[in-house]
Amino acid sequence: MVAEIAITPCGPVTGSIRPPGSKSLTNRALIIAALAEGQSILTGALESEDTEVMIDSLRRIGVAIAHDPASHTLTVEGNGGKFRGDNTEMFIANSGTSMRFLTALATLGTGTFRLDGIARMRERPIGDLIEALKQLGANIRTEFDNACPPVLVDAHGLPGGKATIAGNISSQYLSGLLMAAPYASSQVQLQVDGELVSQPYVRMTTQIMRDFGVTLEENDCRRFVIPGGQTYRGCEYAIEPDASAASYFWGAAAVSGGKVTVAGLSRDALQGDVGFCEALAQMGCQVDYQTDSVTVTGGKLHGINIDMGEISDTVQTLAAVALFADGPTTVTGVAHNRHKETDRISDLACELRKLGATVDEQEDGMTITPGKLQPARIETYNDHRMAMSLALVGLRQEGVVILNPGCTSKTYPHYFEDLAQICAG
Ligand SMILES: O=C(O)C1=C[C@@H](OP(=O)(O)O)[C@@H](O)[C@H](O)C1
Ligand SMILES: C=C(OP(=O)(O)O)C(=O)O
């Protein structure tokens, strides 16, 4: 991949696109299909670094996974939850879903496992998940006793019981616990302690668990009872296109005053990030929901105040759009964005200022006051979303250069090709 990409300004972006499969759904379906009895066929799957590290890790514990890139299909032979580790290493790069979901999964096996990633992954917290798994009887710790990976698991099956789990740092802890829970020896009761961020991802988790044939009780996304000794049943499962990836194309329509249709998503999608369209509607765009597509038409853009705690992966996209509004935009509720691929509050504020905005950073968000836009060389901090979102500014402003564009391979290896194609009309 090239070292940088200069974005070429274009007129109103009009067209239709189907983004690649959802990262969140692909990695959940892989975990569940790996644990299932029998074969699963996952269609519309994402092929990217985050799913490759998940597939590689599952293969290391003996799960056979065949990949047909032409049809974006993964065929998974479930191991029924019976797997053995012998100092088995899982290298997870910087995939939060893989780290948190595989940590929970590893406790179900027998033997020893070590989960590690790149330098940034070693800074991303996992302590609350470790504590909850200990409450359920797991023998697990972090290698440097610092509540961050590497994670060491000495597995002997998961006994089960009651656990409380903090939800203010990442919902992925709860999702990981939920997906593993049916394979505990006895019932698992989970209670969320305090605030729960990114709640739509938890609803996605319980839905896909049910789709693969297990039962659970759920009370207001805070209390869950999962009978132990259950098994997932392998099945054919269609993965939705990625709604977070879709936000860049809806954002392109917004910043350019164009009209973009994203195919394969609807208001009823499993992914909460479809809610990004409502934010665009508040800013002045028109949104048309169909049963199998969502179209955004740009309009005169206004600044808004918005809590994005449920749709935090789209904050950077909204920030790019906010630069073209007629007043300030305030985003709140996303303190957890400081623990992602990079600190998505401080580092985002820094890049927005380079583009000419005034940014007032708060602990849980920021106020963005648009200024006269200017050329900028955008640092991406190895964060795919920094690259994908701030590229949108270059559709209107000359001289926007995205550094290290290859970082989009985490979830969207062909992003810049797809963006160029839709901009060409
Ligand atoms: O469960 C998931 O698939 C995800 C949950 C979110 O993380 P947090 O729960 O850490 O906010 C989101 O940012 C991430 O991209 C995917
Ligand atoms: C936060 C993200 O990913 P993860 O936590 O899965 O690494 C993301 O894709 O924006």
Side-chain angles (χ1 to χ4, degrees):
M1 192 27 138
V2 293
E4 58 184 59
I5 286 185
I7 309 296
T8 313
C10 63
V13 177
T14 49
S16 175
I17 184 157
R18 187 181 174 98
S22 155
K23 171 198 78 171
S24 295
L25 286 167
T26 303
N27 274 357
R28 281 168 174 72
L30 278 165
I31 286 275
I32 289 177
L35 288 172
E37 301 282 354
Q39 187 184 72
S40 295
I41 298 173
L42 314 179
T43 59
L46 174 64
E47 287 111 10
S48 75
E49 185 179 289
D50 275 14
T51 55
E52 274 160 21
V53 295
M54 174 66 88
I55 291 170
D56 178 65
S57 300
L58 292 171
R59 284 182 176 147
R60 280 160 184 263
I61 60 165
V63 181
I65 302 175
H67 178 205
D68 177 17
S71 65
H72 309 294
T73 299
L74 294 165
T75 304
V76 184
E77 309 298 336
N79 67 13
K82 292 175 192 65
F83 56 93
R84 235 200 118 65
D86 183 11
N87 290 325
T88 304
E89 292 274 345
M90 298 186 191
F91 183 76
I92 278 156
N94 194 12
S95 169
T97 53
S98 304
M99 179 55 80
R100 280 73 179 253
F101 301 170
L102 286 164
T103 290
L105 174 134
T107 64
L108 302 173
T110 49
T112 47
F113 304 87
R114 180 175 179 275
L115 298 92
D116 197 2
I118 65 167
R120 175 62 181 168
M121 179 53 87
R122 287 181 168 204
E123 297 172 347
R124 296 183 67 185
I126 197 161
D128 293 326
L129 174 58
I130 306 274
E131 291 313 311
L133 286 165
K134 279 186 187 163
Q135 291 171 48
L136 298 176
N139 189 1
I140 182 168
R141 66 184 180 91
T142 57
E143 191 168 308
F144 305 129
D145 287 328
N146 62 353
C148 291
V151 174
L152 302 174
V153 185
D154 189 353
H156 51 277
L158 191 65
K162 288 186 186 173
T164 52
I165 177 72
N168 61 326
I169 304 276
S170 173
S171 68
Q172 294 172 4
Y173 308 155
L174 177 56
S175 287
L177 290 168
L178 283 165
M179 286 188 281
Y183 284 72
S185 323
S186 60
Q187 186 193 69
V188 172
Q189 292 186 28
L190 299 172
Q191 172 78 50
V192 178
D193 188 15
E195 183 197 5
L196 174 62
V197 297
S198 299
Q199 201 167 304
Y201 289 100
V202 177
R203 289 195 287 270
M204 175 195 289
T205 303
T206 53
Q207 184 56 51
I208 190 169
M209 288 170 67
R210 290 184 171 115
D211 291 341
F212 278 79
V214 303
T215 60
L216 72 155
E217 282 171 39
E218 148 179 23
N219 195 334
D220 213 16
C221 227
R222 299 206 62 82
R223 194 168 173 275
F224 301 84
V225 180
I226 309 103
Q230 302 189 68
T231 44
Y232 294 115
R233 282 192 299 276
C235 65
E236 191 162 334
Y237 188 83
I239 289 163
E240 295 173 349
D242 194 287
S244 322
S247 77
Y248 309 113
F249 301 108
W250 289 319
V255 301
S256 70
K259 180 176 180 179
V260 174
T261 298
V262 172
L265 290 170
S266 71
R267 200 198 280 273
D268 302 327
L270 287 174
Q271 298 164 83
D273 276 4
V274 168
F276 176 70
C277 292
E278 285 307 296
L280 290 181
Q282 281 179 46
M283 293 183 87
C285 297
Q286 189 191 313
V287 184
D288 178 21
Y289 297 97
Q290 297 292 324
T291 49
D292 197 33
S293 71
V294 182
T295 302
V296 168
T297 309
K300 183 160 171 37
L301 295 169
H302 313 295
I304 57 171
N305 293 340
I306 181 167
D307 181 335
M308 298 188 80
E310 294 208 335
I311 55 168
S312 59
D313 283 359
T314 64
V315 168
Q316 290 144 300
T317 326
L318 192 89
V321 177
L323 297 183
F324 300 92
D326 59 7
T329 289
T330 298
V331 175
T332 57
V334 291
H336 55 299
N337 268 11
R338 294 187 185 275
H339 304 291
K340 307 236 173 182
E341 282 76 341
T342 188
D343 179 336
R344 287 184 177 164
I345 297 181
S346 282
D347 296 338
L348 175 60
C350 177
E351 299 315 302
L352 294 172
R353 287 181 191 122
K354 282 189 196 164
L355 287 160
T358 302
V359 184
D360 176 22
E361 182 183 332
Q362 290 108 35
E363 188 45 39
D364 75 331
M366 62 181 69
T367 298
I368 304 160
T369 306
K372 186 172 164 9
L373 283 168
Q374 58 195 34
R377 292 172 64 75
I378 300 297
E379 185 65 56
T380 46
Y381 309 86
N382 209 23
D383 178 0
H384 53 142
R385 302 206 186 283
M386 202 71 87
M388 295 193 280
S389 58
L390 296 185
L392 301 179
V393 183
L395 302 181
R396 286 272 302 274
Q397 168 63 39
E398 289 282 351
V400 174
V401 175
I402 303 294
L403 304 178
N404 184 23
C407 66
T408 69
S409 62
K410 185 173 190 285
T411 56
Y412 200 156
H414 300 296
Y415 173 71
F416 283 102
E417 284 126 274
D418 285 1
L419 184 66
Q421 200 175 1
I422 198 161
C423 289

